[in-house]
Amino acid sequence: MPLANPRRVRLSGGTELAVEIAGNSAQPTVLLLHGFPSSARTFRNIIPVLSETAHVIAPDLPGFGRSDVLPHVSFSAIADAISELLERLSVGPRCIYLHDFGAPVGLDIAMNAPDLVSGLIVQNANAHSTGLGPQWSDTFDYWADPNPGNEAAATAHLTFEGTRDQYIAGLPTEVAARIDPEVWAEDWRVMCLPGRMNTQHALIADYAHHVARFDRIADYLSARQPSALMLWGRHDAYFEIAETLSWMRALPRMEAHIFDAGHFLLETHAAQAARLIAEFMARHAN
């Protein structure tokens, strides 16, 4: 179930990115950054609503969806690619939607151009140690000692079952039943394409650099205090619910909403989320 007509933009290094663009460019811009293991398809159910009052930019991150794989993979390299995309599209001030792997990308973009940030939308996106619970122990071991055994343990979720669990792990049965299995089947199909699994391995290793700069992120949030909206699925099996309090302490004026949802809350609560995002942007993104 891909989105219909992505635009393809060729970057200076030759990488082509697929990007969904909707709405009027004269309206406030929202940059939608998806997480693992998905693509801009994550936003398929909110783009029509947001495009009524916003200029929507929803790229497939390099190595995901319909975008090419980068020759050298890191979150910083992905942020540079998305920043170049924004320049090519002449995007100025932007509200940035952060989800999962989209958080290190979006925060890098925000910290490198803070005057262009009109707001942050935080959806199950981690930027504090409180979000990393015991389920991260294998990953911490891998970062401390990147031997083959530790790498195998830290990447054991890169399977069809692990891809499915990103959507339904920890969810109440009746909530999980609302998610179409086609979404994780499509993610797994893409992950099996050439170069895609190498991208995932590289990003799992590089996420250590995101964690290492949590103090820098805290300084950015403290100094800039961007307007912020939180949308959080309380049954997230990967980021601890305590992470929500850390975000709210960092941004005391943040508007926060906790949903009876999981890591991919837009699969079950898109209508509510779209309304809240549109209202937030109407207040803060002009």
Side-chain angles (χ1 to χ4, degrees), residues 171-189:
L171 277 181
T173 302
E174 66 275 15
V175 179
R178 293 163 58 186
I179 302 178
D180 186 346
E182 186 178 346
V183 295
W184 60 77
E186 173 62 12
D187 287 346
W188 178 245
R189 182 193 69 80

Side-chain angles (χ1 to χ4, degrees), residues 3 6-7 18-22 29-34 39-44 47 55-61 66-67 82 85-86 89:
L3 290 164
R7 176 173 171 181
V19 55
E20 298 289 340
I21 303 173
T29 296
V30 58
L31 172 64
L32 303 176
L33 297 176
H34 67 83
S39 65
R41 188 168 44 88
T42 291
F43 305 109
R44 65 195 182 281
I47 288 175
H55 183 218
V56 181
I57 307 293
D60 289 346
L61 299 181
R66 301 145 297 180
S67 289
I82 300 302
L85 172 69
L86 296 176
L89 298 176

